[in-house]
């Protein structure tokens, strides 16, 4: 299996090379040459464990690795690192289903893929005979940073550098990053928003000349090694619906995904390409509704007001993974043209007659902060189910878009990561101390506090760096040269 750049079909790499590079030399994102030979049997998944489903999918996409190597990667990633054997349990809430993706080490969906990626990179280096140090570079709107730092902590032959927007994450998210141990971990806030941090990372990939013996790679979902593991939980959700008799084999299922960078929902699209009966993929946005406008009008416009919301992981105006969907739908030449327009003018528009190729599979909606809080309160009142702000955005959007299929909502973070907003939604007083609010939320609801958050308040801050967005490349080079 070869992978090509979303901007140039002739620029190819093996799967292990694509994982190591993170981003194609021309700035494009890697895509598999074909989905035709990658099919997962629905009949078989009913009796497969979650680890087995994940291994099945990775072995089909990453053909550089043997089945034994893939099994070892998956088992070491998930066994003992999640709260139970299933990394993505499914809960029925009213007439809908919630896929709980937050039972990993940092209580966010990013753990599912970022527990796998470090092991993939290590295996890929061995496969390619590479002994250089790999510098993992990532920008985060909140959850990716802590999950990546945790996943790569003290992984031999790597350093991990995490950039996050100053004032753009919750106190819990920031604490998870600044207290992350590991001699190879570097964390810094950036004076700007997530898009500033992400654009800075992309610029470094394009321009930075690394010292001899060092190479760059990415932990964001621009890395195909981060994206592919996310496909598995769409299949585990379908398996669970089959096992409980909620659907019959072949029935379509709609998935509602709260997303900013478009990676999580794109994994669902890939799942459909390899045999999962996906009905609609419903893209749920907060007030930063650039994706909603795109799917409704064909216009992608990043030059708009940026809003800091109660669902900060979705506070994004440049949805990198959308490029992959554009390339798969319209081809690499058209994608290159659109990405050039986005870089130069801040927008591009897909003609109405061509937009239907996307809206056959995708729908979109958005939800503001007030609606988010109302949704959290109503779901708890009516169903006794506690959800975070990102999940609430998806739930709210699911109620605005009619479906005749069973609906699965991807729950991307623990409600305890956003305890202040959840308390406010329940009509309870809030304070400036997020950790006190975690205790209060538990006292009111009795919902278990994830072990990794229970003692986070007392964790020692290890990282305190703060830089301007113009100094990101200088910071990377400084960390790269640091002795650990």
């Amino acid at each position: 299996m070869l992978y090509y750049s979303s901007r140039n079909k002739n620029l190819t790499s093996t799967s292990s090379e694509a994982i190591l590079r993170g981003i194609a030399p021309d700035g494009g994102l890697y895509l598999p040459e074909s989905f035709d030979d990658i099919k997962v049997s629905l009949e078989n998944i009913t009796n497969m464990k979650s680890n087995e489903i994940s291994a099945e999918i990775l072995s089909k996409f990453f053909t550089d690795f043997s089945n034994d190597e893939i099994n070892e990667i998956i088992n070491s990633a998930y066994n003992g690192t999640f709260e139970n054997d299933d990394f993505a349990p499914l809960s029925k809430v009213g007439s809908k289903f919630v896929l709980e993706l937050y039972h990993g080490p940092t209580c966010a969906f990013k753990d599912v893929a970022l527990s796998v990626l470090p092991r993939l990179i290590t295996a890929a280096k061995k496969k390619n005979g590479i002994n250089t140090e790999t510098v993992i570079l990532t920008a985060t709107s909140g959850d990716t940073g802590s999950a990546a730092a945790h996943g790569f902590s003290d992984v031999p032959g790597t350093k991990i550098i995490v950039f996050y927007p100053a004032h753009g994450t919750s106190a819990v998210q920031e604490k998870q990053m600044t207290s992350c141990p590991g001699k190879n971990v570097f964390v810094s806030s950036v004076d700007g928003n997530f898009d500033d941090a992400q654009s800075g990372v992309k610029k470094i990939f394009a321009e930075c000349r690394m010292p001899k013996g060092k190479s760059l790679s990415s932990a964001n979902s621009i890395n195909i090694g981060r994206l592919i593991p996310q496909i598995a939980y769409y299949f585990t959700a379908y398996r669970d619906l089959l096992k409980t008799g909620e659907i019959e084999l072949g029935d379509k299922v709609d998935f509602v995904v709260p997303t900013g960078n478009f990676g999580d929902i794109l994994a669902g699209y890939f799942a459909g390409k390899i045999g999962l009966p996906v009905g609609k993929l419903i893209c749920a946005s907060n007030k930063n509704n650039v994706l909603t406008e795109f799917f409704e009008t064909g216009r992608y416009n990043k030059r708009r007001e940026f809003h800091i919301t109660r669902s900060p992981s979705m506070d994004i105006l440049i949805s990198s993974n959308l490029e992959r969907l554009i390339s798969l739908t319209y081809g690499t030449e058209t994608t290159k043209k659109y990405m050039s327009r986005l870089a130069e003018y801040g927008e591009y528009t897909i003609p109405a007659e061509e937009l239907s190729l996307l809206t056959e599979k995708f729908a979109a909606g958005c939800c503001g902060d007030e609606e988010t809080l109302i949704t959290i309160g109503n779901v708890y009142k009516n169903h006794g189910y506690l959800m975070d702000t990102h999940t609430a955005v998806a739930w709210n959007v699911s109620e605005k878009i009619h479906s005749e299929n069973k609906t699965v909502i991807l729950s991307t973070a623990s409600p305890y990561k956003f305890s202040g907003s959840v308390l406010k939604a329940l009509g309870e007083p809030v304070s400036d101390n997020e950790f006190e609010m975690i205790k209060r939320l538990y006292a009111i609801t009795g919902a278990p506090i994830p072990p990794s958050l229970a003692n986070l308040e007392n964790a020692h801050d290890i990282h305190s760096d703060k830089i301007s967005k113009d100094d990101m490349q200088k910071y990377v080079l400084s960390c790269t040269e640091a002795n650990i």
Side-chain angles (χ1 to χ4, degrees):
M1 165 69 74
L2 290 178
Y3 285 77
Y4 68 92
S5 168
S6 55
R7 303 178 191 183
N8 185 345
K9 191 84 174 184
N10 297 317
L11 197 59
T12 61
S13 297
T14 65
S15 58
S16 59
E17 289 170 343
I19 290 167
L20 289 174
R21 289 172 179 163
I23 193 168
D26 64 347
L29 307 184
Y30 283 112
L31 286 164
E33 271 196 323
S34 172
F35 291 91
D36 294 341
D37 297 325
I38 311 176
K39 299 299 176 188
V40 174
S41 169
L42 294 180
E43 291 85 353
N44 291 343
I45 69 167
T46 306
N47 297 313
M48 293 173 70
K49 296 179 180 179
S50 295
N51 281 20
E52 293 171 335
I53 291 175
S54 186
E56 172 85 358
I57 290 167
L58 261 65
S59 66
K60 291 181 180 296
F61 278 95
F62 299 145
T63 53
D64 282 11
F65 308 106
S66 69
N67 289 339
D68 287 344
E69 287 173 318
I70 292 293
N71 286 329
E72 183 180 348
I73 287 169
I74 292 299
N75 290 331
S76 62
Y78 295 141
N79 292 349
T81 57
F82 283 67
E83 290 180 26
N84 51 52
D85 291 338
D86 188 357
F87 52 73
L90 188 70
S91 295
K92 187 171 185 179
V93 182
S95 62
K96 305 179 192 297
F97 298 85
V98 178
L99 186 62
E100 297 178 350
L101 300 171
Y102 54 79
H103 294 287
T106 67
C107 307
F109 82 99
K110 314 291 177 79
D111 288 324
V112 176
L114 284 169
S115 295
V116 175
L117 181 60
R119 293 161 175 85
L120 280 174
I121 287 178
T122 299
K125 290 174 69 174
K126 183 178 180 180
K127 187 71 61 177
N128 288 274
I130 295 174
N131 297 316
T132 59
E133 183 177 69
T134 302
V135 180
I136 308 298
L137 199 55
T138 190
T140 182
S141 55
D143 289 329
T144 292
S146 55
H150 184 279
F152 280 95
S153 178
D154 290 328
V155 171
T158 69
K159 285 179 180 172
I160 170 96
I161 303 172
V162 176
F163 294 113
Y164 68 95
H167 316 298
T169 65
S170 73
V172 167
Q173 288 174 316
E174 184 173 33
K175 187 73 169 181
Q176 285 182 315
M177 289 184 281
T178 59
S179 65
C180 184
K183 294 180 180 179
N184 65 333
V185 176
F186 300 86
V187 176
S188 178
S189 67
V190 176
D191 186 18
N193 58 37
F194 169 75
D195 291 323
D196 294 323
Q198 180 168 252
S199 296
V201 165
K202 287 183 176 180
K203 185 176 181 181
I204 291 167
F205 271 105
E207 299 178 0
C208 186
R209 296 185 64 181
M210 295 295 287
K212 186 178 180 180
K214 316 282 185 178
S215 61
L216 284 176
S217 190
S218 171
N220 285 88
S221 55
I222 57 176
N223 191 318
I224 197 70
R226 156 81 185 277
L227 180 63
I228 297 302
Q230 295 177 262
I231 298 171
Y233 45 72
Y234 285 89
F235 279 90
T236 66
Y238 198 87
R239 174 205 61 192
D240 291 346
L241 291 173
L242 284 172
K243 291 179 71 171
T244 55
E246 294 288 349
I247 59 172
E248 295 183 0
L249 196 66
D251 286 351
K252 290 185 176 182
V253 174
D254 292 346
F255 293 90
V256 191
V257 188
T259 187
N261 214 18
F262 207 72
D264 205 10
I265 196 168
L266 187 69
Y269 182 71
F270 279 24
K273 299 281 280 185
I274 64 173
L276 192 70
V278 175
K280 281 284 188 181
L281 289 164
I282 301 170
C283 176
S285 302
N286 61 20
K287 195 173 183 180
N288 294 295
N289 60 349
V290 62
L291 287 168
T292 306
E293 180 185 9
F294 172 74
F295 282 108
E296 290 179 348
T297 68
R299 183 183 184 221
Y300 193 97
N301 174 27
K302 73 173 184 178
R303 292 185 176 173
R304 56 204 290 141
E305 184 179 0
F306 179 85
H307 302 281
I308 295 176
T309 74
R310 293 184 180 273
S311 44
S313 296
M314 300 157 65
D315 290 347
I316 296 171
L317 296 181
I318 304 174
S319 301
S320 292
N321 275 287
L322 185 63
E323 178 175 340
R324 283 187 165 112
L325 179 64
I326 298 298
S327 187
L328 287 169
T329 307
Y330 305 109
T332 56
E333 286 300 316
T334 299
T335 302
K336 184 177 180 180
K337 178 181 67 175
Y338 284 147
M339 293 307 108
S340 294
R341 288 180 181 174
L342 185 65
E344 187 172 356
Y345 303 110
E347 65 175 279
Y348 61 87
T349 300
I350 293 177
E353 63 272 14
E354 296 180 12
L355 185 62
S356 61
L357 294 175
L358 298 180
T359 54
E360 286 176 5
K361 183 58 64 176
F362 289 88
C366 56
C367 169
D369 274 354
E370 189 59 33
E371 288 180 290
T372 299
L373 296 182
I374 291 171
T375 300
I376 293 171
N378 286 342
V379 172
Y380 187 72
K381 177 182 177 181
N382 296 331
H383 305 293
Y385 189 84
L386 201 63
M387 60 176 53
D388 85 299
T389 50
H390 304 76
T391 309
V393 168
W395 184 286
N396 180 278
V397 170
S398 76
E399 294 184 323
K400 296 174 180 176
I401 298 176
H402 175 72
S403 173
E404 296 180 356
N405 301 320
K406 296 289 184 181
T407 299
V408 173
I409 293 167
L410 273 62
S411 182
T412 54
S414 165
Y416 282 104
K417 294 195 79 167
F418 305 94
S419 54
S421 293
V422 176
L423 280 171
K424 184 174 179 64
L426 300 182
E428 299 290 335
V430 299
S431 69
D432 293 333
N433 190 321
E434 208 164 310
F435 300 100
E436 286 299 321
M437 290 190 290
I438 287 176
K439 298 172 186 175
R440 191 180 310 147
L441 184 59
Y442 171 73
I444 292 167
T445 66
I449 302 174
S452 62
L453 298 183
N455 297 309
L456 183 62
E457 180 182 10
N458 299 319
H460 174 63
D461 280 327
I462 300 170
H463 312 282
S464 59
D465 293 341
K466 305 176 188 296
I467 62 172
S468 74
K469 60 185 179 182
D470 296 327
D471 289 333
M472 290 175 63
Q473 184 166 316
K474 185 189 301 183
Y475 182 83
V476 167
L477 291 173
S478 174
C479 294
T480 299
E481 295 289 3
N483 293 320
I484 60 172

